[in-house]
Amino acid sequence: MFKHLLLAALIAAIPVSTLRAVETPPAVSDSATKQALDAFFAAQWERGLRESPENATYNGDKRFNDRWSDNSIQAIGKREAEDRAALEQLRTIDREALAAADRLNYDTFEWQLEHSIAAQRFRGYLQPISHQGGIQTADGIAEVLSFASTKDYRDWLARMAAMPEQVDQAIALMKEGVKAGSVPPKVVMERVPAQIAAQIVDEPARSPFYRPFTRFPDAVPESDRKALVADAQRTIREKVVPAYRTLQAYFNDEYLPKTRDSIAVTDQPDGADYYAYLAGYYTTTDLKPAQIHEIGLKEVARIRAEMEKVKAETGFEGTLAEFFTYLRTDPKFFEKTPEALLERYRSVAKRIDPELVKVFHTIPRLPYGVRPIPDNIAPDTTTAYYMPGAADGSRPGYYYVNLYKPETRPTWEMIPLSLHEAVPGHHFQFARALELPDAPMFRRTAYFVAYGEGWGLYAERLGYDMGLYDDPYDRMGQLAYDMWRAVRLVVDTGMHSQGWSRERAIEYFMDNSPKTRQDVVNEIDRYISWPGQALAYKIGQLKISELREKAARELGPKFDLRAYNDAVLETGSVPLDVLEKHIDAWIAAQE
């Protein structure tokens, strides 16, 4: 999973029922029409960066690094109106005069706008804080800032100074949410007070916002450093900490008591429609929650049978449940310190790198690194995540790993986890998209969850083709991760559409997976707070695997796995239906 809460504004998808019928486009776009389309895309990209300075930061554009998004009700309404106007403007451009590549760009942007406009009804912005992130973890954006010059530090100081306004806007949204009956579940929001408290420090140098000032590059003159440090300490003392005290008072005393006891999104206003919408949004399919639930049950049964075989191969004589307990508890499967765990992750990444040529012809140019998840969010976040590199190549991609409680981080999960989050999973998918020739920026940075997470889960199985699963415990790790995503289909739909309790979901997960309880509880709480997103992984993987089998069957000896994998990535992130049409055309070309 890439760092979703920081990049949520990049995600866009639409149910495939809205896809256009296949048409024969002209060989070359009409010149004037293409110019109009390209100008429209450029203007909309610029609007997106201007309205979301955070997105600009993640894409390596420093122009807006001294500010945050305006999250006032008025500004949100203005952005929504601009989305509606943009869709009207796009539809004035003659799609029929465009060649295939430009039609794909046109259709993709249209889907993004249509989805954004359809989402306006549900007013998701009224819940601006999640236990996995929000204003209380705003310092996290510093992870992707370069801090290469005095101006970079001044920009960060400006963002720090603006925290009171940001907090006020978040509180205003939460108050409006309370009025509208749109509040998150109490069981997950009970994690947030500790996150807010971590921002309230007596000594400014202990603030998470202060980290960049603990070291300076050579490009920052010594004469500037003392002033920067003094300004940082003053800003934290006078702006940042008071702002978080205000947030703490409102959240703990007023908001948390008004959060809801139920966990299902269907208990919110328009909740049933919202969940059905989210299922289509994240999977980019027309599948209904009940259908997805059944797919999950079948996948769980299939993977359990595979686990029984691997258990027998290890010589373990107990039940599968006993084997799970053994995998969760035996000391030989765990590192003793965070430092040793980080070194183990980095060693796994180095082991994977030279094997990539076995499954790809094309290796992306952008490098990646392995970093620990920041301590202030590690207890409440996932096992790992990926942060894409900058669009201009100025920042590599990063694979972030969770070092909190190393006794809960089994080593048998490291290979599939690294294949998914780093290479050839999310890093390949994002880096290859940035290298799309002549594509507009929104296409190079697009992220459809079913494609991206489906690819990440598919990449875990590429470990077999790369010769990485020679140890049966590593193979059990791969099956555990496959099971993890199958279980998601069952428990996400179970909790949000079939009346399951949180406890039932946790126990179902524990019964069918060797993942530790620490991970399982964090995962279940993630599904509660982010309904529908977890459905995309397995649905996307099943489609990519199905297309691979189809290509191998139809091409026979002409099938080249490396060429197939390249073909999947060469579209950039697209809905699954678009990917299927592309692979069908690729098969025909190979034949």
Side-chain angles (χ1 to χ4, degrees):
M1 180 190 71
F2 76 101
K3 184 57 174 167
H4 56 83
L5 290 165
L6 297 179
L7 295 177
L10 295 177
I11 300 173
I14 198 72
V16 296
S17 61
T18 64
L19 295 175
R20 299 178 186 273
V22 177
E23 300 161 336
T24 303
V28 179
S29 293
D30 172 74
S31 177
T33 305
K34 179 171 175 53
Q35 286 180 6
L37 184 67
D38 290 345
F40 171 82
F41 288 152
Q44 290 300 312
W45 176 256
E46 184 68 16
R47 173 170 80 94
L49 298 179
R50 186 177 64 253
E51 292 181 347
S52 177
E54 297 87 351
N55 266 0
T57 295
Y58 293 120
N59 282 293
D61 189 327
K62 293 186 172 186
R63 290 176 297 157
F64 311 104
N65 277 1
D66 60 346
R67 68 199 76 169
W68 304 100
S69 296
D70 183 347
N71 290 318
S72 63
I73 292 285
Q74 295 77 13
I76 292 170
K78 182 174 179 289
R79 290 196 290 270
E80 290 183 340
E82 288 174 343
D83 281 347
R84 295 191 295 270
L87 183 58
E88 292 180 7
Q89 182 182 353
L90 176 62
R91 288 175 174 167
T92 66
I93 298 173
D94 184 7
R95 179 182 177 276
E96 304 310 309
L98 298 171
D102 290 318
R103 284 190 181 187
L104 176 60
N105 295 334
Y106 181 108
D107 292 347
T108 303
F109 202 83
E110 183 181 46
W111 299 337
Q112 292 176 328
L113 286 172
E114 287 176 339
H115 179 81
S116 178
I117 292 165
Q120 293 176 8
R121 164 189 170 192
F122 301 110
R123 304 180 75 195
Y125 56 80
L126 294 182
Q127 296 183 28
I129 285 182
S130 159
H131 77 281
Q132 290 186 285
I135 192 69
Q136 78 279 17
T137 57
D139 62 281
I141 198 172
E143 289 283 317
V144 300
L145 292 169
S146 61
F147 292 105
S149 68
T150 298
K151 184 179 185 307
D152 291 339
Y153 285 86
R154 290 291 173 196
D155 286 345
W156 185 236
L157 284 167
R159 273 182 164 162
M160 290 164 57
M163 288 308 298
E165 181 182 14
Q166 287 291 295
V167 165
D168 288 346
Q169 289 180 351
I171 290 174
L173 292 175
M174 287 187 279
K175 287 182 175 178
E176 185 65 24
V178 170
K179 290 179 184 177
S182 177
V183 292
K186 184 179 271 80
V187 69
V188 291
M189 299 308 281
E190 287 172 337
R191 293 175 177 239
V192 173
Q195 297 171 355
I196 300 173
Q199 298 286 2
I200 300 173
V201 296
D202 294 326
E203 171 53 51
R206 295 175 54 218
S207 169
F209 282 87
Y210 188 78
R211 288 192 193 107
F213 299 92
T214 61
R215 59 191 181 277
F216 291 95
D218 293 340
V220 176
E222 288 287 347
S223 58
D224 290 345
R225 298 181 188 185
K226 186 175 180 180
L228 290 171
V229 166
D231 286 348
Q233 293 189 356
R234 183 175 61 255
T235 304
I236 290 169
R237 186 182 297 111
E238 297 177 1
K239 298 286 188 178
V240 175
V241 171
Y244 281 112
R245 289 194 190 281
T246 299
L247 178 64
Q248 184 181 58
Y250 173 73
F251 188 91
N252 293 2
D253 299 340
E254 297 185 47
Y255 189 68
L256 187 59
K258 294 175 182 175
T259 55
R260 55 190 165 88
D261 293 327
S262 64
I263 59 173
V265 71
T266 47
D267 292 331
Q268 294 185 174
D270 291 331
D273 287 350
Y274 189 32
Y275 188 61
Y277 165 81
L278 290 171
Y281 161 39
Y282 286 118
T283 67
T284 69
T285 71
D286 290 326
L287 292 169
K288 305 300 184 215
Q291 294 173 295
I292 294 172
H293 190 83
E294 289 303 313
I295 292 171
L297 292 173
K298 291 177 182 177
E299 278 292 284
V300 167
R302 179 188 66 79
I303 298 167
R304 279 188 70 95
E306 294 296 319
M307 287 178 159
E308 291 283 3
K309 294 177 184 177
V310 174
K311 174 178 73 72
E313 186 179 344
T314 67
F316 189 87
E317 296 182 353
T319 65
L320 190 59
E322 291 169 338
F323 190 52
F324 288 168
T325 299
Y326 169 63
L327 292 173
R328 291 178 188 129
T329 58
D330 195 290
K332 74 179 181 181
F333 297 124
F334 301 88
E335 296 289 350
K336 291 182 173 58
T337 67
E339 295 77 15
L341 186 60
L342 179 60
E343 181 57 35
R344 183 73 170 262
Y345 273 116
R346 286 173 170 164
S347 296
V348 168
K350 290 177 181 177
R351 181 185 172 194
I352 293 171
D353 285 344
E355 308 303 328
L356 293 167
V357 294
K358 294 180 179 178
V359 288
F360 295 93
H361 290 297
T362 304
I363 306 295
R365 295 186 297 272
L366 190 73
Y368 78 99
V370 183
R371 283 180 169 179
I373 291 174
D375 293 341
N376 62 317
I377 62 171
D380 300 311
T381 197
T382 55
T383 312
Y385 57 75
Y386 175 74
M387 182 72 73
D392 62 358
S394 61
R395 184 187 70 246
Y398 281 107
Y399 168 34
Y400 282 83
V401 294
N402 201 328
L403 308 183
Y404 176 70
K405 288 189 176 180
E407 68 275 13
T408 68
R409 314 289 174 189
T411 55
W412 45 257
E413 72 179 357
M414 287 184 170
I415 289 179
L417 180 61
S418 300
L419 290 168
H420 182 115
E421 299 293 348
V423 291
H426 287 324
H427 181 67
F428 266 41
Q429 178 250 310
F430 276 101
R432 283 290 307 278
L434 289 175
E435 296 173 8
L436 287 174
D438 304 320
M441 282 304 301
F442 86 91
R443 286 274 291 115
R444 295 168 64 192
T445 59
Y447 192 76
F448 290 84
V449 184
Y451 174 95
E453 298 298 348
W455 170 260
L457 185 50
Y458 168 81
E460 295 175 20
R461 288 197 59 85
L462 288 177
Y464 292 103
D465 303 296
M466 298 163 71
L468 297 173
Y469 290 126
D470 50 354
D471 185 299
Y473 291 106
D474 289 334
R475 288 201 295 280
M476 180 58 73
Q478 184 275 315
L479 289 173
Y481 269 51
D482 205 17
M483 178 68 88
W484 175 15
R485 281 43 171 260
V487 165
R488 284 175 171 178
L489 301 186
V490 179
V491 299
D492 194 292
T493 54
M495 290 188 294
H496 290 295
S497 66
Q498 299 194 15
W500 282 34
S501 68
R502 177 174 179 265
E503 291 70 28
R504 180 179 176 184
I506 290 171
E507 292 311 312
Y508 183 86
F509 203 143
M510 294 290 292
D511 288 345
N512 288 288
S513 167
K515 285 187 73 67
T516 62
R517 191 171 188 89
Q518 166 86 20
D519 278 349
V520 167
V521 172
N522 277 350
E523 283 296 310
I524 293 300
D525 285 351
R526 172 187 157 197
Y527 311 152
I528 291 171
S529 65
W530 202 7
Q533 190 268 354
L535 306 177
Y537 296 63
K538 173 56 72 169
I539 298 300
Q541 178 221 33
L542 290 173
K543 176 56 67 176
I544 295 171
S545 298
E546 171 196 317
L547 294 174
R548 171 174 163 171
E549 293 169 5
K550 178 181 181 180
R553 182 175 63 252
E554 295 191 10
L555 294 177
K558 290 184 179 180
F559 177 73
D560 179 349
L561 177 59
R562 292 181 295 176
Y564 171 78
N565 292 331
D566 285 352
V568 173
L569 291 180
E570 70 188 10
T571 63
S573 193
V574 292
L576 296 180
D577 188 77
V578 174
L579 176 65
E580 183 166 11
K581 288 181 172 65
H582 171 74
I583 293 300
D584 285 344
W586 176 81
I587 292 172
Q590 304 307 301
E591 291 175 329

